Amino acid sequence: MQTIRALCILSLLLSTSFAISLHTDGESGMAKWIIMYYLCGDSHLANETGLLLENLSRIGSSRYVRIVVMLDNREKHDTKLCYIDTDGEIRILNDLVGWPDEVDTGDVNTLLMFCRNSMRLFPAERTALIVFSAGGAGWQLFSLYDEKTGHSPTLPQFADAMRQLTDDGKRKIDVLYTPCITGMVEVAYELSPYVRYLVTTEEHTPDGPKHVERFYRAVEILKNNPNMSAEDFSKLAPLLHRPCRFSFYRENIVTRILDLLPCPSLHRVTMLSTYSAINLSRVRDLVESIDDLSSWLLLHRYDKETMRAVKLARKAVREYGKAYPKRLPYIIYRFIPLDIFAFDCYIDLYNFVDLLERNAKNGFIKSLCEKVKINLNESVILNSCMPGDPSYGLSIYFPSSRSMYNHYIFGGKIPCKYEEIRFSREFKWDDFLRSYLGIEE
């Protein structure tokens, strides 16, 4: 007991001594913003973390905007907890706060301790948490990827960490940046009690400078406009986003020949980047309108005309997640990354209900589709995509076939089943999916 008390006193003294040191360069007191970067660099993003840190150093903190970074790369004992000071110097805080030189970024406790320490050392009126991680998986996993362990928290586990961090939502995170393909209704609803605004993407994001810049350009503007509201800050990243077409897979002789055929399913997978800002306070109305539509579709599950309209809409809708294969081993898919073999279970919500509205004969179903579109437009406060791309800011789970239901995007046993997430437990979309796909209880 005495040892624990001594450690608590030591921690308080260290925190106090660091706070005193901040007084010497004019950075003391309550800031307007704290920007917390959680960099999961123990992955193929290791080189990108250096580029991101270089740009954050160039930007630097100010009296009103404080930048704190937790970085873990591929080398052993290379974990750093950093403060980017007003001169752009990277001040290592490991010894000051007793932070270890090696962590598992995939352990949600690591994220919790980083945020708690940062918010205690650098109190601010508003908070932003920026998660920089490979391996976005939609609702199936909230990627905090660490190559050493290969695991991450499930979406409910990550949401529970946000619950703890925000004292059951009493002190919400103002802005949260999430990894790729997490711009989903399911993710937005799970996090809505604890986060105000989500900065996210329905699509994968390209590697390299284009990927890195979306994590710092908005902060550079915020530093010069520290009185910016959380909503305006969340809009900056989509506003600055430059949509592009890209592919993770190089052409080869096979794909080059197949791309010439008039059969899109045999073409090489390419992606169109997206970016959106979501007001999570409006998501409740959106999911309730989805629930109304789901209930009506369930009521008409034996009506051939209605189910045909659903089928036609699902067939034509915009899909995401195609960097990953459906069934093929990834080592094979990387050489024949054809659309027919790609994961295809995440679809654009607006595009789907718009297509359903056009195909449906039932007037009430049409009106329910229109209601979903209105609520989605109110939830998505800014969206950026390529011209002509039917991506509207939020996707939803709709497996392409019965066999793909609860199929883990990375293969193997799924860590969290669809029926276990909050959206599925509380609303009837999952009931509709099961009925439509012919999945028995």
Side-chain angles (χ1 to χ4, degrees):
M1 192 70 182
Q2 289 179 339
T3 303
I4 295 173
R5 188 178 295 112
L7 288 172
C8 290
I9 293 170
L10 177 60
S11 176
L12 179 62
L13 288 172
L14 289 173
S15 298
T16 304
S17 68
F18 184 70
I20 291 171
S21 75
L22 289 180
H23 287 209
T24 63
D25 57 10
E27 299 174 53
S28 62
M30 178 75 76
K32 296 288 185 182
W33 282 90
I34 178 173
I35 314 296
M36 300 179 292
Y37 280 87
Y38 192 74
L39 307 187
C40 305
D42 195 346
S43 67
H44 74 269
L45 297 181
N47 293 332
E48 293 187 10
T49 59
L51 181 57
L52 178 53
L53 201 58
E54 179 183 319
N55 278 282
L56 294 178
S57 180
R58 177 181 56 80
I59 296 167
S61 292
S62 72
R63 177 181 176 184
Y64 301 109
V65 179
R66 309 255 174 86
I67 301 173
V68 193
V69 179
M70 200 295 300
L71 169 63
D72 181 54
N73 269 2
R74 277 176 160 164
E75 300 298 321
K76 291 183 178 179
H77 311 298
D78 65 354
T79 301
K80 295 179 178 64
L81 185 62
C82 314
Y83 170 62
I84 313 295
D85 71 16
T86 54
D87 295 321
E89 294 294 323
I90 300 172
R91 300 172 65 169
I92 310 299
L93 309 182
N94 291 43
D95 292 340
L96 283 167
V97 300
W99 193 260
D101 62 7
E102 191 57 57
V103 297
D104 175 6
T105 59
D107 185 343
V108 74
N109 182 61
T110 306
L111 175 69
L112 260 178
M113 294 308 296
F114 162 62
C115 292
R116 284 173 173 167
N117 273 279
S118 300
M119 293 163 72
R120 185 174 67 248
L121 287 171
F122 304 98
E125 295 173 15
R126 301 185 184 97
T127 56
L129 172 59
I130 298 178
V131 176
F132 186 80
S133 178
W139 61 266
Q140 298 189 1
L141 200 70
F142 196 94
S143 180
L144 303 175
Y145 184 68
D146 190 309
E147 215 165 59
K148 290 185 296 294
T149 60
H151 75 269
S152 290
T154 64
L155 178 59
Q157 287 170 341
F158 181 83
D160 187 64
M162 294 298 99
R163 179 192 64 78
Q164 295 176 57
L165 181 63
T166 62
D167 189 17
D168 291 319
K170 295 184 182 71
R171 297 186 294 273
K172 291 184 178 182
I173 295 293
D174 288 282
V175 179
L176 172 65
Y177 279 55
T178 63
C180 65
I181 62 170
T182 48
M184 301 195 73
V185 169
E186 293 87 347
V187 175
Y189 187 64
E190 193 90 29
L191 300 178
S192 60
Y194 320 114
V195 178
R196 298 186 192 281
Y197 295 92
L198 207 60
V199 178
T200 187
T201 171
E202 295 178 271
E203 185 60 280
H204 299 283
T205 51
D207 292 335
K210 281 184 179 290
H211 178 233
V212 173
E213 70 178 15
R214 78 183 186 97
F215 291 93
Y216 70 80
R217 293 181 70 202
V219 174
E220 189 169 17
I221 294 174
L222 177 68
K223 181 188 174 182
N224 296 319
N225 301 272
N227 291 317
M228 188 176 291
S229 68
E231 179 165 317
D232 286 342
F233 175 54
S234 70
K235 287 179 178 179
L236 279 178
L239 189 66
L240 296 167
H241 175 239
R242 293 173 290 180
C244 64
R245 180 183 293 273
F246 68 98
S247 178
F248 293 124
Y249 308 104
R250 294 180 180 178
E251 286 184 326
N252 57 53
I253 186 65
V254 174
T255 60
R256 196 173 296 122
I257 293 171
L258 291 174
D259 280 345
L260 298 174
L261 300 178
C263 183
S265 66
L266 295 178
H267 293 175
R268 179 175 61 113
V269 165
T270 58
M271 287 152 275
L272 306 176
S273 67
T274 70
Y275 219 2
S276 57
I278 316 298
N279 183 341
L280 296 188
S281 70
R282 299 175 184 169
V283 166
R284 179 79 195 190
D285 289 340
L286 172 61
V287 296
E288 286 181 351
S289 64
I290 296 170
D291 192 49
D292 289 342
L293 176 60
S294 306
S295 300
W296 199 252
L297 291 175
L298 273 170
L299 187 65
H300 287 74
R301 62 185 177 271
Y302 302 118
D303 181 63
K304 292 181 180 179
E305 195 172 71
T306 299
M307 291 302 104
R308 180 177 178 275
V310 172
K311 184 178 180 180
L312 289 172
R314 178 61 186 87
K315 185 177 181 181
V317 74
R318 171 72 151 96
E319 299 171 331
Y320 309 95
K322 297 192 174 188
Y324 306 115
K326 265 192 288 201
R327 296 291 182 186
L328 285 180
Y330 182 75
I331 195 168
I332 297 176
Y333 183 68
R334 61 186 294 191
F335 293 108
I336 47 170
L338 309 182
D339 190 84
I340 195 171
F341 299 137
F343 184 87
D344 55 1
C345 297
Y346 303 156
I347 64 167
D348 186 84
L349 174 61
Y350 187 104
N351 186 214
F352 171 72
V353 295
D354 187 54
L355 290 167
L356 178 58
E357 184 179 359
R358 292 184 210 173
N359 290 312
K361 304 294 184 183
N362 185 295
F364 198 66
I365 287 178
K366 286 178 177 289
S367 67
L368 291 174
C369 289
E370 189 63 28
K371 185 179 177 183
V372 172
K373 292 196 295 182
I374 290 170
N375 284 323
L376 189 137
N377 282 335
E378 291 180 352
S379 300
V380 180
I381 55 176
L382 196 67
N383 181 56
S384 174
C385 63
M386 293 277 284
D389 178 15
S391 294
Y392 292 85
L394 281 174
S395 61
I396 196 168
Y397 187 52
F398 197 144
S400 55
S401 65
R402 176 178 176 175
S403 65
M404 290 300 292
Y405 182 83
N406 272 336
H407 174 76
Y408 189 26
I409 199 167
F410 297 126
K413 184 179 179 181
I414 194 167
C416 173
K417 293 182 178 180
Y418 192 62
E419 54 267 36
E420 295 171 356
I421 64 174
R422 184 168 169 246
F423 177 69
S424 299
R425 295 197 316 270
E426 296 181 11
F427 300 102
K428 294 185 180 65
W429 178 256
D430 187 34
D431 297 322
F432 158 67
L433 288 181
R434 287 171 168 272
S435 172
Y436 179 78
L437 296 170
I439 298 169
E440 297 179 1
E441 294 295 334

